[in-house]
Amino acid sequence: MPESAVPPTPPVPLTALLARENLALRQIAGPSDPGTVVHWVHTSEMADPYPYLLGGELLLTAGVHIPEAAGSGTYFDDYVSRIVAAGGAALGFGVAPVHDTVPRALVAACERYGLPLLEVPPQTTFSGVARAVWQLMAQARLSELRRVTEAQQSLASAASRPDPVPSVLRQLAQRLGGWAVLYGPEGAEITGSGREPGDEARAALARLAEVVRPDRPAPAAGAASPTSSASRAHSSGPGPGEPAAARSRSAHRPGPASPAGPQPTDPGRPAPTSATDTTAGLHLAAYALGAGHGFVLGVAAPGRAPGDHTIASVAAVLLSLLTGEQHSGTGAARSSALVRLLLGAAPEDVAPLLGGGRRWVVVHARPDGEGAPDAVAASALGAALGSALVDPAGDVVRVLVPAGRAPDPQPGWTLGVSAAVAPEDWPAADTQAARALARARATRAPLLRHGPRPALADLVPPGEAAAHARTLLAPVTAHPALPETLRTWLSLHGSWDRTAVALSVHRNTVRQRIARCAALLETDLDDPDVRMELWFALRHI
C-alpha cells in the first residue's frame, strides 16, 4: 500500500479488538500474531473484494456471496487468496442470518493462507465492530499526542542544559528506548547516548547517514549496498509506517525486485532529509540536520511506534539549531577574514568582514565540572552569546563577541569578559578576559568583567612603564610560572586557596612560587607599598 493510502490515525492491534468483551469476537483460524494491526473496517458481500480494498482492512462479511456448492470447489481458496493479495489484515464472518456457523472450508482456507479469521456473533453488528475500531483509534491517537507532547517538552528542556547536545541525545534515546548518535560532517560519531547496537547495526546506521548527508560522494559503479532489508529514503520524512498487510500485498503482486539496504541515489539530485532501514532486528533512521552543514542524527530502536518519527524530528530540529552556524557573519566572510589575517592584514582591516561593528569584547569560558568542552558544546555557547566566532582551545573556550551584545552568565559555565575594544586591541582584550576568568573561578562568580575605569597607571607613559616593569621583574620573568602566579596572588589579596583554584595547582605550589618570587626580588611581599609597585609592573608585561 502506498504511503499516501495510510490513514492519519494509529492502527489498532487486532488483539485489542478481540479483547473488547462487548463485541465477543473470537479468532477461529489464522496466525495469532500480536503484530497484526487494523487500519480500517470494510464491509463487502462481493465474491471478489480485491478491487475495493486498499490494504490493512478488517473485512466483514455475512457470507451472502457464498454459493451453495462452495464447499466442494476452490471458491474459498480463491476468495481468501484475493483478500490476502489485496493486503487485508483479517476477515470477520458474521454468524446469522445467512449462515448458522462459519463454513469449515473457509476456516481451512484461512489457515492455509495465513489470514486471521474472526467469528462475529449474532448479537454483534458490523457497525458496532467499526465503531469499536474508531474508538480504539481515537484512544491510541490521544495517547500518541500525549506522548509526543511530553517528549517535546523534555527535549526542549534538555536543549537548555549546559551540555545541550548530549542532553538532547540522552532524552531522545530514553523516549525511543534505543540509541541516538550525532554524526559530524566527516561521518565520525561525535557523541551518542542510550543502548548501543551491535557492530552490524552500527555500521548500517553509519551507511544510512551517508544517504542523507549533503554533497555525499557518488557510489562506485556496480557497488552493492551491504545493509539489510526494508530500506526507504524520503525527501520530506517518513510517514507513520507501512502496515504489514500492505507489505503482504506487494509480495503477491508482480513488480520489479528491490535489493536490500539503502539504495544509491542519483548524485545529481539533492539528498533526502531522512531515511530508514531495518537491520538485525532494529529500526534505523537518519535525519539530516540544518541547512546542509553535514551533521546527521542517527537513531536505532527496537521498534517503531506511532509518534517516534515526530519525536525524532523534534530532536533533529533542536540539534540543527545547536549545531548550525550562526549568522553574525557569513561563512565565506569569516573564511576571507582568516585568510587575510594569515597573510598579514591588520585586525582593524579584517573586522568589517565579521559584521560586528567597531568594538568587540573577548570572552573566556570554562565549563563547570571536570573535562574539556567539546566542539559542539563550544558552538552552543557561542550561539547563546550571539556569536559564531568560537575557539575551543583546550579547557578554555574563547569567543569574540560584538560589543553591542553584552554577555550574560551562562548556566554551567564560568565566564571572564574583557573591556570593549577596537580590533587592533584584540590581543590586550584576550589577556583581560583570561585574567577575568581566573578571578571568576577563584571567587566562584559565574561572570566577571574587566573594569574599564581609568587607572593611576594610565598617568605614566606606556613606554616608560614597560621599561620599568622589565627592569623590576627581570629576576622572575626567566621563570614563566612565577609572574603569572604573583599576578594572580596579588589580585586575590594574597589568598593561597583562591590562587590555587585560579591556577589549578595545589596551595603548597602557590606558597613555594611566592616564596621563590620574594627571594629572587629580594623584597618583602607583606609590605603593601611593595605589592602596589609589583602590581603596577605586572600590568605592563
Side-chain angles (χ1 to χ4, degrees), residues 144-179:
E144 175 189 340
L145 291 175
R146 183 180 296 112
R147 174 173 174 258
V148 169
T149 300
E150 293 174 352
Q152 288 176 332
Q153 293 172 347
S154 62
L155 288 169
S157 177
S160 65
R161 292 175 58 86
D163 53 343
V165 172
S167 296
V168 170
L169 292 175
R170 184 165 53 249
Q171 189 61 231
L172 178 61
Q174 292 175 357
R175 292 289 171 174
L176 301 186
W179 187 55

Side-chain angles (χ1 to χ4, degrees), residues 53-323:
L53 300 181
L54 292 174
E57 295 93 348
L58 169 60
L59 179 63
L60 300 176
T61 180
V64 176
H65 57 89
I66 300 175
E68 293 183 2
S72 59
T74 62
Y75 179 86
F76 287 115
D77 279 352
D78 295 341
Y79 178 69
V80 173
S81 66
R82 293 290 282 173
I83 297 173
V84 172
L91 174 64
F93 193 90
V95 177
V98 181
H99 298 270
D100 294 333
T101 61
V102 180
R104 293 182 180 179
L106 178 59
V107 175
C110 288
E111 284 288 355
R112 280 193 294 272
Y113 285 92
L115 179 67
L117 176 61
L118 311 183
E119 180 187 74
V120 183
Q123 70 272 18
T124 301
T125 63
F126 286 177
S127 60
V129 175
R131 180 177 60 185
V133 170
W134 310 145
Q135 288 174 346
L136 288 170
M137 284 184 173
Q139 293 172 6
R141 182 61 172 167
L142 180 61
S143 176
E144 175 189 340
L145 291 175
R146 183 180 296 112
R147 174 173 174 258
V148 169
T149 300
E150 293 174 352
Q152 288 176 332
Q153 293 172 347
S154 62
L155 288 169
S157 177
S160 65
R161 292 175 58 86
D163 53 343
V165 172
S167 296
V168 170
L169 292 175
R170 184 165 53 249
Q171 189 61 231
L172 178 61
Q174 292 175 357
R175 292 289 171 174
L176 301 186
W179 187 55
V181 59
L182 177 66
Y183 295 102
E186 295 79 21
E189 294 179 8
I190 295 179
T191 182
S193 183
R195 295 180 292 181
E196 296 189 11
D199 293 340
E200 179 185 359
R202 196 164 188 159
L205 185 58
R207 288 191 295 270
L208 194 64
E210 293 302 317
V211 174
V212 302
R213 191 183 310 282
D215 302 325
R216 62 200 184 287
S225 175
T227 50
S228 66
S229 62
S231 172
R232 293 170 298 172
H234 309 270
S235 61
S236 59
E242 185 178 18
R247 292 193 294 270
S248 175
R249 171 204 290 250
S250 63
H252 287 79
R253 287 186 173 176
S258 175
Q263 303 304 308
T265 55
D266 182 355
R269 299 177 59 188
T273 58
S274 65
T276 61
D277 191 16
T278 302
T279 295
L282 293 176
H283 292 259
L284 312 180
Y287 301 84
L289 304 183
H293 302 308
F295 290 95
V296 175
L297 168 64
V299 176
R304 188 170 175 82
D308 283 0
H309 170 62
T310 303
I311 293 172
S313 296
V314 171
V317 170
L318 292 171
L319 291 171
S320 296
L321 296 174
L322 294 171
T323 59

Side-chain angles (χ1 to χ4, degrees), residues 434-462:
R435 294 173 181 172
L437 175 62
R439 287 181 55 80
R441 294 186 68 243
T443 57
R444 293 179 172 82
L447 182 149
L448 279 182
R449 305 177 192 273
H450 177 80
R453 184 178 58 187
L456 183 63
D458 295 333
L459 300 176
V460 180

